[in-house]
Amino acid sequence: VERCRLLGEEVVIIDSPGIDVEADLDEWIDKHCLDSDVFVLVANAESTIMLTEKKFFHKVSERLSNPNIFILHNRWDASAGDDQQDQVKNQHKERAVAFLSSELGVCTKEEALDRIFFISAKEALQIRLQEAKGQPPNIHTEDYFNRYLEYQQFEKKLEHCLSSTAVRTKFASHTSRGKDIVTREGNMIGQLLDKAANRRVEEGNNMKELLDRLDFTERQLEMMTFEMKDKICAIVE
């Protein structure tokens, strides 16, 4: 936990068993994968994604709806300086995108491109160890810095994916409860407003009726006053 900040956020990392072991694979998926938030396929950049690896994720996607899957092409430092490096990278990228978007259907092609990385775990580990000692990295492989930047990019995307998934899984019930409370309070306030509006109309009608009665009474008193004055005058005469 002291060396990996993610582990301090209650993140649990599980390494899958040999995925070509057919006997217990289904049971293992049911036990460990159904509540997993993110899957990381660490593939060997010197070869293509194996059929057993594809089969594993096909089984996972059958049990989970739209699992979050990242594909890391590791040992990318082995092809450093190769003239055909870009061509090989594009081939890996095309196959990985097709696997995620077309075969599994877990994301679009644009989203798949953000989940494919070409890294060297060995170089990243060496750099981190040197950083922990406060020393510059002692790596002389060509383009190692670009691979390390891509590794850092993967870390950020993984952390963001974990955070957004945690919001859905860990806080979904709290969010739903909060929405229910707000909805109930909104309905109560709405009822109060309706009652207040009806009461205002009712009181307005009552006031108008009272004012009409007061006006009628004043006119009656005025007429009675004139009538009394006439009677008084008649009596005096």
Side-chain angles (χ1 to χ4, degrees):
V1 174
E2 290 77 17
R3 296 188 182 186
C4 181
R5 186 173 53 82
L6 267 180
L7 295 179
E9 305 294 334
E10 297 183 2
V11 173
V12 178
I13 299 174
I14 300 175
D15 185 19
S16 71
I19 56 176
D20 55 344
V21 181
E22 288 287 330
D24 303 323
L25 184 58
D26 288 340
E27 184 183 341
W28 191 89
I29 289 174
D30 289 337
K31 187 176 180 182
H32 296 289
C33 294
L34 297 185
D35 59 348
S36 295
D37 298 318
V38 180
F39 296 86
V40 182
L41 168 58
V42 184
N44 189 343
E46 296 167 286
S47 62
T48 59
I49 300 172
M50 295 186 296
L51 287 173
T52 49
E53 293 169 333
K54 288 186 174 184
K55 190 174 182 181
F56 173 82
F57 283 102
H58 275 293
K59 284 179 177 289
V60 168
S61 63
E62 284 172 9
R63 289 167 168 78
L64 274 80
S65 59
N66 292 332
N68 296 305
I69 301 172
F70 288 88
I71 297 179
L72 297 186
H73 291 91
N74 193 26
R75 291 174 53 83
W76 192 235
D77 54 317
S79 60
D82 191 340
D83 295 337
Q84 295 183 323
Q85 187 184 38
D86 290 337
Q87 185 181 345
V88 172
K89 186 174 184 177
N90 289 332
Q91 283 180 348
H92 281 316
K93 201 174 280 189
E94 284 174 13
R95 288 169 181 167
V97 167
F99 175 57
L100 291 177
S101 60
S102 303
E103 286 189 47
L104 294 179
V106 295
C107 58
T108 63
K109 289 184 178 180
E110 291 74 20
E111 290 170 338
L113 286 170
D114 282 337
R115 298 191 175 194
I116 300 164
F117 300 91
F118 294 83
I119 64 154
S120 168
K122 181 182 176 182
E123 286 178 348
L125 177 60
Q126 289 173 335
I127 293 170
R128 291 287 164 87
L129 290 172
Q130 292 297 106
E131 284 177 353
K133 295 175 184 175
Q135 297 173 359
N138 187 23
I139 298 174
H140 306 292
T141 320
E142 189 179 337
D143 270 352
Y144 83 90
F145 190 66
N146 290 334
R147 287 188 290 276
Y148 185 52
L149 281 178
E150 191 144 352
Y151 182 83
Q152 290 177 311
Q153 211 176 6
F154 158 68
E155 283 185 312
K156 287 180 184 175
K157 294 273 176 67
L158 175 66
E159 191 170 353
H160 178 266
C161 189
L162 283 170
S163 301
S164 58
T165 308
V167 169
R168 289 197 301 272
T169 54
K170 288 189 177 180
F171 308 120
S173 58
H174 300 298
T175 307
S176 177
R177 188 163 169 265
K179 283 181 179 177
D180 288 341
I181 291 170
V182 171
T183 303
R184 284 202 303 272
E185 286 185 349
N187 291 336
M188 286 167 60
I189 292 170
Q191 288 173 2
L192 281 172
L193 285 172
D194 290 341
K195 285 182 179 178
N198 292 335
R199 189 71 179 271
R200 192 182 296 115
V201 170
E202 188 181 331
E203 293 299 326
N205 291 335
N206 290 339
M207 185 176 285
K208 186 175 181 302
E209 188 180 339
L210 284 171
L211 288 172
D212 289 344
R213 285 172 63 185
L214 182 62
D215 185 53
F216 175 75
T217 305
E218 284 179 346
R219 286 203 305 273
Q220 290 292 101
L221 283 170
E222 201 175 327
M223 286 171 60
M224 193 178 289
T225 302
F226 285 133
E227 191 179 336
M228 284 292 114
K229 282 182 180 178
D230 288 343
K231 285 186 178 180
I232 289 168
C233 288
I235 290 168
V236 169
E237 287 174 3

Coordinates of all heavy atoms in Angstrom, one line a residue, residues 42-48 72-93 116-124 141-148 150-151:
V42 N -2.8 -8.6 -20.3 CA -1.4 -8.3 -20.6 C -0.9 -9.3 -21.6 O -0.7 -10.4 -21.3 CB -0.6 -8.4 -19.3 CG1 0.9 -8.0 -19.5 CG2 -1.2 -7.5 -18.2
A43 N -0.8 -8.7 -22.8 CA -0.5 -9.6 -24.0 C 1.0 -9.4 -24.3 O 1.6 -8.4 -24.0 CB -1.3 -9.3 -25.2
N44 N 1.6 -10.4 -24.9 CA 3.0 -10.3 -25.4 C 3.0 -9.6 -26.7 O 2.5 -10.0 -27.7 CB 3.6 -11.7 -25.5 CG 5.1 -11.7 -25.7 OD1 5.6 -10.7 -26.1 ND2 5.7 -12.8 -25.5
A45 N 3.7 -8.4 -26.7 CA 3.8 -7.6 -28.0 C 4.5 -8.4 -29.1 O 4.4 -8.0 -30.3 CB 4.4 -6.3 -27.7
E46 N 5.2 -9.4 -28.8 CA 6.0 -10.1 -29.8 C 5.1 -11.2 -30.5 O 5.5 -11.9 -31.4 CB 7.2 -10.8 -29.2 CG 8.2 -9.8 -28.7 CD 9.3 -10.4 -27.8 OE1 8.9 -10.8 -26.7 OE2 10.4 -10.6 -28.3
S47 N 3.8 -11.3 -30.1 CA 2.9 -12.3 -30.7 C 1.5 -11.7 -30.6 O 1.3 -10.6 -30.0 CB 2.9 -13.6 -30.0 OG 2.5 -13.5 -28.7
T48 N 0.6 -12.3 -31.3 CA -0.8 -11.8 -31.3 C -1.6 -12.3 -30.1 O -1.1 -13.2 -29.4 CB -1.5 -12.2 -32.6 OG1 -1.5 -13.7 -32.6 CG2 -0.9 -11.7 -33.8
L72 N -2.9 -4.5 -22.7 CA -1.5 -4.0 -22.6 C -0.7 -4.9 -23.5 O -0.6 -6.1 -23.2 CB -1.0 -4.0 -21.2 CG -1.7 -3.1 -20.1 CD1 -1.0 -3.2 -18.8 CD2 -1.8 -1.7 -20.6
H73 N 0.0 -4.3 -24.5 CA 1.0 -5.1 -25.2 C 2.3 -4.8 -24.5 O 3.0 -3.8 -24.7 CB 1.0 -4.6 -26.7 CG -0.2 -4.9 -27.5 ND1 -1.3 -4.1 -27.5 CD2 -0.5 -6.0 -28.2 CE1 -2.2 -4.7 -28.3 NE2 -1.8 -5.8 -28.7
N74 N 2.7 -5.8 -23.7 CA 3.9 -5.7 -22.9 C 5.2 -6.1 -23.8 O 5.0 -6.7 -24.9 CB 3.8 -6.6 -21.7 CG 4.9 -6.3 -20.7 OD1 5.4 -5.2 -20.6 ND2 5.2 -7.3 -19.8
R75 N 6.4 -5.8 -23.2 CA 7.6 -6.1 -23.9 C 7.8 -5.3 -25.2 O 8.4 -5.8 -26.1 CB 7.8 -7.6 -24.1 CG 8.0 -8.5 -22.9 CD 7.9 -10.0 -23.2 NE 8.9 -10.3 -24.2 CZ 10.2 -10.5 -23.9 NH1 10.7 -10.4 -22.7 NH2 11.0 -10.9 -24.9
W76 N 7.2 -4.2 -25.2 CA 7.3 -3.4 -26.5 C 8.7 -2.8 -26.7 O 9.1 -2.4 -27.7 CB 6.3 -2.2 -26.4 CG 6.1 -1.5 -27.7 CD1 6.2 -0.2 -27.9 CD2 5.7 -2.1 -29.0 NE1 5.9 0.1 -29.2 CE2 5.6 -1.0 -29.9 CE3 5.4 -3.4 -29.4 CZ2 5.3 -1.2 -31.2 CZ3 5.1 -3.5 -30.7 CH2 5.0 -2.5 -31.6
D77 N 9.5 -2.9 -25.6 CA 10.9 -2.5 -25.7 C 11.7 -3.4 -26.6 O 12.8 -3.1 -27.1 CB 11.6 -2.4 -24.3 CG 11.4 -3.7 -23.5 OD1 10.3 -4.3 -23.6 OD2 12.4 -4.1 -22.9
A78 N 11.2 -4.6 -26.7 CA 12.0 -5.6 -27.5 C 12.0 -5.3 -29.0 O 12.9 -5.7 -29.7 CB 11.3 -7.0 -27.3
S79 N 11.0 -4.5 -29.4 CA 11.0 -4.1 -30.8 C 11.6 -2.7 -31.1 O 11.4 -2.1 -32.1 CB 9.6 -4.1 -31.4 OG 8.7 -3.3 -30.6
A80 N 12.2 -2.1 -30.0 CA 12.8 -0.8 -30.2 C 13.8 -0.8 -31.2 O 14.7 -1.6 -31.3 CB 13.4 -0.3 -28.8
G81 N 13.8 0.3 -32.1 CA 14.8 0.4 -33.2 C 14.5 -0.5 -34.4 O 15.2 -0.4 -35.4
D82 N 13.4 -1.3 -34.3 CA 13.0 -2.1 -35.5 C 12.4 -1.3 -36.6 O 11.6 -0.4 -36.3 CB 12.0 -3.2 -35.0 CG 11.8 -4.3 -36.1 OD1 12.1 -4.0 -37.2 OD2 11.3 -5.4 -35.7
D83 N 12.8 -1.5 -37.8 CA 12.3 -0.7 -38.9 C 10.8 -0.9 -39.1 O 10.1 0.0 -39.6 CB 13.0 -1.1 -40.2 CG 14.5 -0.8 -40.2 OD1 14.8 0.1 -39.4 OD2 15.3 -1.4 -40.9
Q84 N 10.3 -2.1 -38.8 CA 8.8 -2.3 -39.0 C 8.0 -2.1 -37.7 O 6.9 -2.6 -37.6 CB 8.7 -3.8 -39.5 CG 9.3 -4.0 -40.8 CD 9.1 -5.5 -41.3 OE1 9.1 -6.4 -40.5 NE2 8.8 -5.6 -42.6
Q85 N 8.5 -1.4 -36.8 CA 7.9 -1.2 -35.5 C 6.5 -0.6 -35.6 O 5.5 -1.1 -35.1 CB 8.7 -0.4 -34.5 CG 8.1 -0.3 -33.1 CD 8.9 0.7 -32.2 OE1 9.4 1.7 -32.7 NE2 9.1 0.3 -31.0
D86 N 6.4 0.5 -36.5 CA 5.1 1.1 -36.7 C 4.1 0.2 -37.3 O 2.9 0.2 -37.0 CB 5.3 2.4 -37.5 CG 6.0 3.5 -36.7 OD1 6.0 3.5 -35.5 OD2 6.6 4.4 -37.4
Q87 N 4.6 -0.6 -38.3 CA 3.7 -1.5 -39.0 C 3.1 -2.6 -38.0 O 1.9 -2.9 -38.0 CB 4.4 -2.1 -40.2 CG 3.6 -3.0 -41.0 CD 4.4 -3.7 -42.2 OE1 5.5 -3.2 -42.5 NE2 3.8 -4.7 -42.8
V88 N 4.0 -3.1 -37.2 CA 3.6 -4.1 -36.2 C 2.7 -3.5 -35.2 O 1.6 -4.2 -34.9 CB 4.9 -4.7 -35.5 CG1 4.5 -5.6 -34.4 CG2 5.8 -5.4 -36.5
K89 N 2.9 -2.3 -34.8 CA 2.1 -1.6 -33.8 C 0.6 -1.5 -34.4 O -0.4 -1.7 -33.7 CB 2.6 -0.3 -33.4 CG 1.9 0.4 -32.3 CD 2.6 1.7 -31.9 CE 1.9 2.4 -30.7 NZ 2.7 3.5 -30.2
N90 N 0.6 -1.0 -35.7 CA -0.7 -0.8 -36.3 C -1.5 -2.1 -36.4 O -2.7 -2.2 -36.3 CB -0.6 -0.2 -37.7 CG -0.1 1.3 -37.6 OD1 -0.5 2.0 -36.6 ND2 0.6 1.8 -38.6
Q91 N -0.8 -3.2 -36.7 CA -1.4 -4.5 -36.8 C -2.0 -5.0 -35.5 O -3.1 -5.4 -35.4 CB -0.4 -5.6 -37.3 CG -0.1 -5.5 -38.8 CD 0.9 -6.6 -39.2 OE1 1.6 -7.2 -38.4 NE2 1.1 -6.8 -40.5
H92 N -1.2 -4.8 -34.4 CA -1.6 -5.2 -33.1 C -2.9 -4.3 -32.7 O -3.9 -4.8 -32.2 CB -0.5 -4.9 -32.0 CG 0.5 -6.0 -32.0 ND1 0.2 -7.3 -32.0 CD2 1.8 -5.9 -31.9 CE1 1.3 -8.0 -31.9 NE2 2.3 -7.2 -31.8
K93 N -2.8 -3.0 -33.1 CA -3.9 -2.1 -32.7 C -5.2 -2.5 -33.4 O -6.3 -2.5 -32.8 CB -3.5 -0.7 -33.1 CG -4.2 0.4 -32.3 CD -3.7 1.8 -32.6 CE -2.5 2.0 -31.8 NZ -2.0 3.5 -31.9
I116 N -6.1 0.5 -25.4 CA -4.9 -0.3 -26.0 C -3.6 0.5 -25.7 O -3.5 1.6 -26.1 CB -5.2 -0.6 -27.5 CG1 -6.5 -1.4 -27.7 CG2 -4.0 -1.4 -28.0 CD1 -7.0 -1.4 -29.1
F117 N -2.7 -0.2 -25.1 CA -1.4 0.5 -24.8 C -0.2 -0.4 -25.1 O -0.3 -1.6 -25.0 CB -1.4 0.8 -23.3 CG -2.5 1.7 -22.9 CD1 -3.7 1.2 -22.4 CD2 -2.4 3.1 -22.9 CE1 -4.7 2.1 -22.0 CE2 -3.4 4.0 -22.6 CZ -4.6 3.4 -22.1
F118 N 0.9 0.2 -25.5 CA 2.1 -0.5 -25.8 C 3.2 0.0 -24.8 O 3.6 1.1 -24.8 CB 2.6 -0.1 -27.2 CG 1.6 -0.7 -28.3 CD1 0.5 0.1 -28.6 CD2 1.8 -1.9 -28.9 CE1 -0.4 -0.4 -29.5 CE2 0.9 -2.4 -29.9 CZ -0.2 -1.6 -30.2
I119 N 3.6 -1.0 -23.9 CA 4.4 -0.6 -22.8 C 5.5 -1.6 -22.6 O 5.6 -2.6 -23.2 CB 3.5 -0.5 -21.5 CG1 3.0 -1.9 -21.2 CG2 2.4 0.5 -21.6 CD1 2.7 -2.2 -19.7
S120 N 6.4 -1.3 -21.6 CA 7.4 -2.2 -21.1 C 7.2 -2.2 -19.6 O 7.7 -1.2 -18.9 CB 8.8 -1.8 -21.5 OG 9.7 -2.6 -20.8
A121 N 6.7 -3.2 -19.0 CA 6.5 -3.3 -17.6 C 7.8 -3.3 -16.8 O 8.0 -2.7 -15.8 CB 5.7 -4.5 -17.2
K122 N 8.8 -3.9 -17.5 CA 10.1 -4.0 -16.9 C 10.7 -2.6 -16.8 O 11.3 -2.2 -15.7 CB 11.0 -4.9 -17.7 CG 12.4 -5.1 -17.2 CD 13.2 -6.0 -18.1 CE 14.7 -6.1 -17.7 NZ 15.5 -6.9 -18.6
E123 N 10.7 -1.9 -17.8 CA 11.2 -0.5 -17.8 C 10.5 0.4 -16.8 O 11.1 1.1 -16.0 CB 11.1 0.1 -19.2 CG 12.1 -0.4 -20.2 CD 11.9 0.2 -21.6 OE1 10.9 0.9 -21.8 OE2 12.7 0.0 -22.4
A124 N 9.1 0.3 -16.8 CA 8.4 1.1 -15.8 C 8.8 0.7 -14.4 O 8.9 1.6 -13.5 CB 6.9 0.8 -16.0
T141 N 17.5 1.9 -23.3 CA 16.8 1.4 -24.5 C 16.2 2.6 -25.3 O 15.8 3.6 -24.7 CB 15.6 0.5 -24.0 OG1 16.1 -0.3 -22.9 CG2 15.1 -0.4 -25.2
E142 N 16.2 2.4 -26.6 CA 15.7 3.5 -27.4 C 14.2 3.8 -27.1 O 13.4 2.9 -27.0 CB 15.9 3.1 -28.9 CG 15.6 4.2 -29.9 CD 15.8 3.8 -31.3 OE1 16.6 2.9 -31.5 OE2 15.2 4.4 -32.2
D143 N 13.8 5.0 -27.1 CA 12.4 5.4 -26.9 C 11.8 5.0 -25.6 O 10.6 4.9 -25.5 CB 11.6 4.9 -28.1 CG 11.5 5.9 -29.2 OD1 12.0 7.0 -29.0 OD2 11.0 5.6 -30.3
Y144 N 12.6 4.7 -24.6 CA 12.0 4.2 -23.3 C 11.0 5.2 -22.7 O 10.0 4.9 -22.1 CB 13.1 3.9 -22.3 CG 13.6 5.0 -21.5 CD1 13.1 5.4 -20.3 CD2 14.7 5.8 -22.0 CE1 13.6 6.4 -19.6 CE2 15.2 6.8 -21.3 CZ 14.6 7.2 -20.1 OH 15.1 8.2 -19.4
F145 N 11.3 6.5 -22.9 CA 10.5 7.6 -22.2 C 9.1 7.6 -22.8 O 8.1 7.7 -22.1 CB 11.1 8.9 -22.4 CG 10.5 10.0 -21.6 CD1 10.5 9.9 -20.2 CD2 9.8 11.0 -22.2 CE1 9.9 10.9 -19.4 CE2 9.1 12.0 -21.4 CZ 9.2 11.9 -20.0
N146 N 8.9 7.3 -24.1 CA 7.6 7.3 -24.7 C 6.8 6.1 -24.2 O 5.6 6.2 -24.0 CB 7.7 7.2 -26.3 CG 8.2 8.5 -26.9 OD1 8.1 9.5 -26.3 ND2 8.9 8.3 -28.0
R147 N 7.5 5.0 -24.0 CA 6.8 3.8 -23.5 C 6.4 4.1 -22.0 O 5.3 3.6 -21.6 CB 7.7 2.6 -23.5 CG 7.8 2.0 -24.9 CD 8.6 0.7 -25.0 NE 10.0 0.9 -24.6 CZ 10.9 1.2 -25.5 NH1 10.6 1.5 -26.7 NH2 12.2 1.4 -25.1
Y148 N 7.2 4.8 -21.3 CA 6.8 5.1 -19.9 C 5.7 6.1 -19.8 O 4.8 6.0 -19.0 CB 8.0 5.7 -19.2 CG 7.8 5.9 -17.7 CD1 7.3 4.9 -16.9 CD2 8.1 7.1 -17.1 CE1 7.1 5.1 -15.5 CE2 7.8 7.4 -15.7 CZ 7.3 6.3 -15.0 OH 7.1 6.5 -13.6
E150 N 3.3 6.2 -22.0 CA 2.1 5.4 -22.3 C 1.7 4.6 -21.1 O 0.5 4.4 -20.9 CB 2.4 4.5 -23.5 CG 1.1 3.9 -24.1 CD 1.2 3.8 -25.6 OE1 2.1 4.3 -26.2 OE2 0.2 3.1 -26.1
Y151 N 2.7 4.1 -20.4 CA 2.3 3.4 -19.1 C 1.6 4.3 -18.1 O 0.6 3.9 -17.5 CB 3.6 2.8 -18.5 CG 3.4 2.0 -17.3 CD1 3.0 0.7 -17.4 CD2 3.5 2.6 -16.0 CE1 2.8 -0.1 -16.2 CE2 3.2 1.8 -14.9 CZ 2.9 0.5 -15.0 OH 2.6 -0.3 -13.9

